[in-house]
Amino acid sequence: MRDYKLPIYEREDAFLSKYAFKSRDTAGRVRPSEPCPMRTEFIRDRDRIIHSKSFRRLKHKTQVFISPEGDHYRTRLTHTLEVAQIGRSAARALRLNEDLTEAIALGHDLGHTPFGHAGEKVLDELIEGGFKHNEQSLRVVELLENDGEGLNLTYEVRDGIVNHKYSGTPCTLEGEIVKFADRCAYINHDIEDAISAGVLTSDDLPRDCVQVLGDTKSRRINSMITDLVETSYDKPFVRQSELFADATLRLHAFMFDSVYTNPVAKGEEKKTKRLIELLFDFYMKNPKQMPDFYLSLLDSAPLDRVVGDYIASFTDRYAVRKFKEIFVPQGWNV
C-alpha cells in the first residue's frame, strides 16, 4: 500500500524549526504496532486519546466549580480542549510539531479525579506514596485504559503527559508548550468562570498584571502566546519574557488566594473530601465490590493504589451515585 505519510514528513522537513521534534524520529511504542499508511505516530496517539473512555469521562469532571448548574462553566474536558487550542497556536507560530503538541495536551489530564484538585488532594493523603494527577494520567495511558492494555502511546507523548506540570521537564519543546498552554488556559478561563459565578469582578484583578497581560480573557491569552513566541522563536527553549512570566506568576498567586482557596467558591469541597474518604474506606474494606478489572490489578499493585485507580476514574456524578448506593438507605420497593 502507498505510504501517504511521506508528504507529511516532507512538509515537516521543509517547514519545522531545527528544534522541533519530527514525527519520524519518535522513539516509538513499548509494543510495536503496524504503521498506519495515512497517519504519523503522533496523529495516531491523538486519535487513540480522543477515542478513549478516560477522555470522554472528562466532560463530567470538575475544573474549578463543583457540579455547576450553569451550562457555560468549564469542565475538565473543555479545559483540555482549550489547552490543545492554545498549544497548537503556539506550536504553529514557533514552527514546532503541532501533532505532538496536541496529543500531549489532549492526554495531559486523563488521570484527574472527580471534583478536581480537591479529589486529588484527598487521594494524595490516603494512598501510600501519594497521588499526583500527572502520574495518574501516565498510568491511565500505560495500563488502565483498554482493560489493562493501555493506549500504547509513543515515548514523547507519554513523557509530555507526565511532565506537563509547571515544575516538569519534558524532553521536547512541544511538551514545554503544553506546560505553558495549561497554565495560560486555566488562569484565564478560571477568571471568566469566577466572574460568572460572582466570586470575582474584573476590577478585582491586580492592575499591574492587567496592564501587562490585558484586560480581557482573549487579550490576555493572545498577549501571552505572542510573548511566548517572540521570546522563544527559533530558540532551543520555550519560555515567557521576564516581564510576562512575573505577571503570570502574580496573577496565578492572586487566583490561588481569591478563587482556588475561596470559601465561597470552594464551600462544597469539605463534602467532597468526606465523600471520597468514605468511598475509599469502603473499598479498602470491601475490595470485591470493585469491578473484576481492578481486582486483577492487585497482582501487581497494593490495594490502596488500586482503590485509588478506581475512584480516580469516577466522574463527579458517578462518585455521588456510588456514595448514595453504599451509604444512603434506599426506599423499600416491592
Side-chain angles (χ1 to χ4, degrees):
M1 180 180 289
R2 179 178 177 178
D3 190 350
Y4 295 95
K5 299 189 300 298
L6 289 178
I8 300 177
Y9 294 145
E10 291 169 357
R11 285 197 299 272
E12 288 186 355
D13 291 338
F15 174 74
L16 292 187
S17 162
K18 62 183 178 181
Y19 301 111
F21 197 94
K22 308 292 180 61
S23 298
R24 61 174 26 143
D25 294 333
T26 177
R29 310 177 188 280
V30 173
R31 300 187 303 279
S33 60
E34 188 72 24
C36 174
M38 296 175 292
R39 298 172 297 160
T40 68
E41 297 306 308
F42 298 146
I43 295 175
R44 295 177 77 189
D45 282 356
R46 177 203 64 192
D47 295 349
R48 290 180 182 195
I49 291 167
I50 288 176
H51 289 281
S52 70
K53 291 179 180 178
S54 299
F55 185 79
R56 294 196 294 276
R57 288 197 297 267
L58 294 177
K59 67 181 177 179
H60 293 301
K61 292 195 177 192
T62 289
Q63 174 59 26
V64 171
F65 294 94
I66 294 172
S67 301
E69 293 296 326
D71 292 334
H72 300 134
Y73 290 95
R74 268 71 174 192
T75 65
R76 191 60 56 178
L77 178 60
T78 57
H79 161 71
T80 295
L81 296 176
E82 291 184 35
V83 174
Q85 177 270 314
I86 292 171
R88 284 202 75 122
S89 293
R92 182 179 294 121
L94 288 169
R95 294 189 299 122
L96 298 177
N97 193 315
E98 294 178 49
D99 296 324
L100 173 56
T101 303
E102 184 178 34
I104 295 170
L106 292 174
H108 83 282
D109 270 355
L110 292 179
H112 243 299
T113 60
F115 311 119
H117 287 286
E120 178 180 18
K121 184 178 180 181
V122 177
L123 291 183
D124 189 43
E125 295 170 353
L126 294 173
I127 298 173
E128 183 78 23
F131 179 98
K132 300 293 184 289
H133 78 272
N134 58 311
E135 296 172 359
Q136 188 69 11
S137 295
L138 182 64
R139 186 165 167 83
V140 166
V141 301
E142 289 189 337
L143 174 65
L144 300 179
E145 267 291 332
N146 290 335
D147 296 325
E149 293 294 320
L151 297 179
N152 195 28
L153 304 181
T154 58
Y155 172 81
E156 295 75 23
V157 172
R158 289 183 285 117
D159 170 83
I161 287 172
V162 77
N163 285 299
H164 80 266
K165 295 179 69 174
Y166 211 63
S167 58
T169 54
C171 69
T172 65
L173 296 189
E174 290 78 5
E176 292 286 349
I177 286 178
V178 174
K179 283 172 49 179
F180 167 80
D182 185 31
R183 175 166 283 202
C184 178
Y186 74 68
I187 288 176
N188 286 294
H189 65 49
D190 291 352
I191 289 173
E192 187 172 61
D193 282 357
I195 291 173
S196 296
V199 175
L200 290 179
T201 70
S202 297
D203 293 336
D204 293 326
L205 300 179
R207 300 317 301 168
D208 53 347
C209 296
V210 168
Q211 288 173 357
V212 173
L213 303 175
D215 59 357
T216 67
K217 179 194 69 175
S218 60
R219 287 173 182 162
R220 283 190 295 272
I221 292 175
N222 187 68
S223 69
M224 291 168 80
I225 295 175
T226 301
D227 173 77
L228 187 82
V229 171
E230 289 179 343
T231 305
S232 311
Y233 191 81
D234 207 25
K235 301 287 197 312
F237 55 75
V238 172
R239 68 172 70 127
Q240 295 174 283
S241 67
E242 289 188 14
L243 177 65
F244 271 72
D246 180 65
T248 301
L249 186 64
R250 285 185 284 111
L251 187 57
H252 180 270
F254 165 80
M255 288 296 290
F256 186 86
D257 293 336
S258 302
V259 177
Y260 303 142
T261 58
N262 183 300
V264 175
K266 297 297 187 177
E268 295 298 296
E269 284 193 358
K270 290 182 180 178
K271 298 178 185 178
T272 64
K273 180 177 187 296
R274 188 60 178 148
L275 182 151
I276 292 179
E277 287 174 342
L278 287 170
L279 286 175
F280 188 90
D281 182 68
F282 174 82
Y283 288 115
M284 287 293 291
K285 294 175 178 175
N286 303 276
K288 291 185 179 180
Q289 294 299 311
M290 293 190 296
D292 289 343
F293 166 66
Y294 290 94
L295 294 179
S296 72
L297 298 177
L298 294 174
D299 294 335
S300 58
L303 178 59
D304 61 340
R305 178 63 59 186
V306 174
V307 171
D309 289 335
Y310 184 44
I311 293 176
S313 74
F314 289 5
T315 61
D316 295 8
R317 63 185 187 181
Y318 188 75
V320 171
R321 191 174 101 194
K322 295 303 290 184
F323 179 86
K324 288 180 178 178
E325 287 178 5
I326 295 169
F327 297 108
V328 177
Q330 305 298 308
W332 182 256
N333 184 15
V334 179

